[in-house]
PDB file of all heavy atoms in Angstrom:
ATOM      1  N   MET A  37     136.731 123.719  45.511  1.00  0.00           N
ATOM      2  CA  MET A  37     137.561 122.695  45.693  1.00  0.00           C
ATOM      3  C   MET A  37     137.595 122.223  47.339  1.00  0.00           C
ATOM      4  O   MET A  37     138.367 121.332  47.711  1.00  0.00           O
ATOM      5  CB  MET A  37     139.074 123.054  45.259  1.00  0.00           C
ATOM      6  CG  MET A  37     139.175 123.250  43.803  1.00  0.00           C
ATOM      7  SD  MET A  37     140.909 123.677  43.453  1.00  0.00           S
ATOM      8  CE  MET A  37     140.854 123.921  41.610  1.00  0.00           C
ATOM      9  N   PRO A  43     135.849 116.049  46.028  1.00  0.00           N
ATOM     10  CA  PRO A  43     136.583 115.010  45.173  1.00  0.00           C
ATOM     11  C   PRO A  43     135.665 113.952  44.843  1.00  0.00           C
ATOM     12  O   PRO A  43     135.689 113.464  43.693  1.00  0.00           O
ATOM     13  CB  PRO A  43     137.535 114.449  46.338  1.00  0.00           C
ATOM     14  CG  PRO A  43     137.765 115.450  47.288  1.00  0.00           C
ATOM     15  CD  PRO A  43     136.432 116.055  47.448  1.00  0.00           C
ATOM     16  N   PRO A  70     139.070 122.835  56.087  1.00  0.00           N
ATOM     17  CA  PRO A  70     139.960 121.601  55.753  1.00  0.00           C
ATOM     18  C   PRO A  70     139.732 121.019  54.456  1.00  0.00           C
ATOM     19  O   PRO A  70     138.517 120.960  53.945  1.00  0.00           O
ATOM     20  CB  PRO A  70     139.461 120.611  56.932  1.00  0.00           C
ATOM     21  CG  PRO A  70     138.821 121.456  57.920  1.00  0.00           C
ATOM     22  CD  PRO A  70     138.268 122.538  57.235  1.00  0.00           C
ATOM     23  N   GLN A  71     140.739 120.740  53.638  1.00  0.00           N
ATOM     24  CA  GLN A  71     140.598 120.330  52.224  1.00  0.00           C
ATOM     25  C   GLN A  71     140.707 118.871  51.907  1.00  0.00           C
ATOM     26  O   GLN A  71     140.544 118.482  50.788  1.00  0.00           O
ATOM     27  CB  GLN A  71     141.436 121.125  51.382  1.00  0.00           C
ATOM     28  CG  GLN A  71     141.236 122.689  51.524  1.00  0.00           C
ATOM     29  CD  GLN A  71     142.066 123.461  50.750  1.00  0.00           C
ATOM     30  OE1 GLN A  71     142.847 123.036  49.802  1.00  0.00           O
ATOM     31  NE2 GLN A  71     142.267 124.803  51.075  1.00  0.00           N
ATOM     32  N   HIS A  72     140.996 118.063  52.809  1.00  0.00           N
ATOM     33  CA  HIS A  72     140.974 116.597  52.654  1.00  0.00           C
ATOM     34  C   HIS A  72     141.849 116.333  51.467  1.00  0.00           C
ATOM     35  O   HIS A  72     141.593 115.405  50.579  1.00  0.00           O
ATOM     36  CB  HIS A  72     139.606 116.002  52.415  1.00  0.00           C
ATOM     37  CG  HIS A  72     138.847 116.159  53.684  1.00  0.00           C
ATOM     38  ND1 HIS A  72     138.456 115.204  54.457  1.00  0.00           N
ATOM     39  CD2 HIS A  72     138.127 117.278  54.137  1.00  0.00           C
ATOM     40  CE1 HIS A  72     137.787 115.625  55.442  1.00  0.00           C
ATOM     41  NE2 HIS A  72     137.489 116.856  55.286  1.00  0.00           N
ATOM     42  N   ASN A  73     142.993 117.033  51.292  1.00  0.00           N
ATOM     43  CA  ASN A  73     143.947 116.757  50.106  1.00  0.00           C
ATOM     44  C   ASN A  73     143.129 116.951  48.762  1.00  0.00           C
ATOM     45  O   ASN A  73     143.494 116.492  47.797  1.00  0.00           O
ATOM     46  CB  ASN A  73     144.432 115.361  50.171  1.00  0.00           C
ATOM     47  CG  ASN A  73     145.393 115.215  51.425  1.00  0.00           C
ATOM     48  OD1 ASN A  73     146.154 116.068  51.788  1.00  0.00           O
ATOM     49  ND2 ASN A  73     145.329 114.016  52.057  1.00  0.00           N
ATOM     50  N   ASN A  74     142.158 117.926  48.714  1.00  0.00           N
ATOM     51  CA  ASN A  74     141.471 118.187  47.585  1.00  0.00           C
ATOM     52  C   ASN A  74     142.425 118.690  46.427  1.00  0.00           C
ATOM     53  O   ASN A  74     142.092 118.564  45.348  1.00  0.00           O
ATOM     54  CB  ASN A  74     140.438 119.250  47.684  1.00  0.00           C
ATOM     55  CG  ASN A  74     139.187 118.592  48.576  1.00  0.00           C
ATOM     56  OD1 ASN A  74     139.418 117.448  49.032  1.00  0.00           O
ATOM     57  ND2 ASN A  74     138.140 119.366  48.737  1.00  0.00           N
ATOM     58  N   GLU A  75     143.521 119.346  46.757  1.00  0.00           N
ATOM     59  CA  GLU A  75     144.469 119.686  45.752  1.00  0.00           C
ATOM     60  C   GLU A  75     144.941 118.605  44.854  1.00  0.00           C
ATOM     61  O   GLU A  75     145.344 118.863  43.764  1.00  0.00           O
ATOM     62  CB  GLU A  75     145.696 120.450  46.388  1.00  0.00           C
ATOM     63  CG  GLU A  75     145.377 121.655  47.254  1.00  0.00           C
ATOM     64  CD  GLU A  75     145.265 121.203  48.601  1.00  0.00           C
ATOM     65  OE1 GLU A  75     144.794 120.070  48.962  1.00  0.00           O
ATOM     66  OE2 GLU A  75     145.444 122.067  49.561  1.00  0.00           O
ATOM     67  N   LYS A  76     144.889 117.336  45.282  1.00  0.00           N
ATOM     68  CA  LYS A  76     145.294 116.208  44.535  1.00  0.00           C
ATOM     69  C   LYS A  76     144.202 115.701  43.647  1.00  0.00           C
ATOM     70  O   LYS A  76     144.403 114.610  42.932  1.00  0.00           O
ATOM     71  CB  LYS A  76     145.697 115.169  45.527  1.00  0.00           C
ATOM     72  CG  LYS A  76     146.895 115.591  46.349  1.00  0.00           C
ATOM     73  CD  LYS A  76     147.361 114.503  47.309  1.00  0.00           C
ATOM     74  CE  LYS A  76     148.512 114.957  48.181  1.00  0.00           C
ATOM     75  NZ  LYS A  76     149.023 113.847  49.055  1.00  0.00           N
ATOM     76  N   LEU A  77     143.057 116.373  43.514  1.00  0.00           N
ATOM     77  CA  LEU A  77     142.036 116.001  42.548  1.00  0.00           C
ATOM     78  C   LEU A  77     142.709 115.882  41.141  1.00  0.00           C
ATOM     79  O   LEU A  77     143.633 116.693  40.926  1.00  0.00           O
ATOM     80  CB  LEU A  77     140.938 117.000  42.589  1.00  0.00           C
ATOM     81  CG  LEU A  77     139.910 116.822  43.681  1.00  0.00           C
ATOM     82  CD1 LEU A  77     138.979 118.013  43.730  1.00  0.00           C
ATOM     83  CD2 LEU A  77     139.019 115.540  43.557  1.00  0.00           C
ATOM     84  N   TYR A  79     142.868 117.205  38.172  1.00  0.00           N
ATOM     85  CA  TYR A  79     142.371 118.467  37.553  1.00  0.00           C
ATOM     86  C   TYR A  79     143.032 118.446  35.970  1.00  0.00           C
ATOM     87  O   TYR A  79     142.585 119.226  35.155  1.00  0.00           O
ATOM     88  CB  TYR A  79     142.966 119.711  38.172  1.00  0.00           C
ATOM     89  CG  TYR A  79     142.325 119.940  39.427  1.00  0.00           C
ATOM     90  CD1 TYR A  79     143.015 120.257  40.509  1.00  0.00           C
ATOM     91  CD2 TYR A  79     140.922 119.870  39.590  1.00  0.00           C
ATOM     92  CE1 TYR A  79     142.423 120.514  41.750  1.00  0.00           C
ATOM     93  CE2 TYR A  79     140.400 120.062  40.824  1.00  0.00           C
ATOM     94  CZ  TYR A  79     141.017 120.232  41.906  1.00  0.00           C
ATOM     95  OH  TYR A  79     140.465 120.717  43.072  1.00  0.00           O
ATOM     96  N   LEU A 189     142.265 114.899  60.786  1.00  0.00           N
ATOM     97  CA  LEU A 189     142.842 116.162  60.329  1.00  0.00           C
ATOM     98  C   LEU A 189     143.094 117.072  61.379  1.00  0.00           C
ATOM     99  O   LEU A 189     142.156 117.394  62.141  1.00  0.00           O
ATOM    100  CB  LEU A 189     141.780 116.866  59.375  1.00  0.00           C
ATOM    101  CG  LEU A 189     141.677 116.067  57.985  1.00  0.00           C
ATOM    102  CD1 LEU A 189     140.549 116.749  57.237  1.00  0.00           C
ATOM    103  CD2 LEU A 189     142.920 116.138  57.126  1.00  0.00           C
TER     104      LEU A 189
END
Side-chain angles (χ1 to χ4, degrees):
M37 299 177 177
Q71 296 179 22
H72 297 262
N73 297 317
N74 290 9
E75 298 94 333
K76 297 180 181 179
L77 283 170
Y79 294 132
L189 293 171

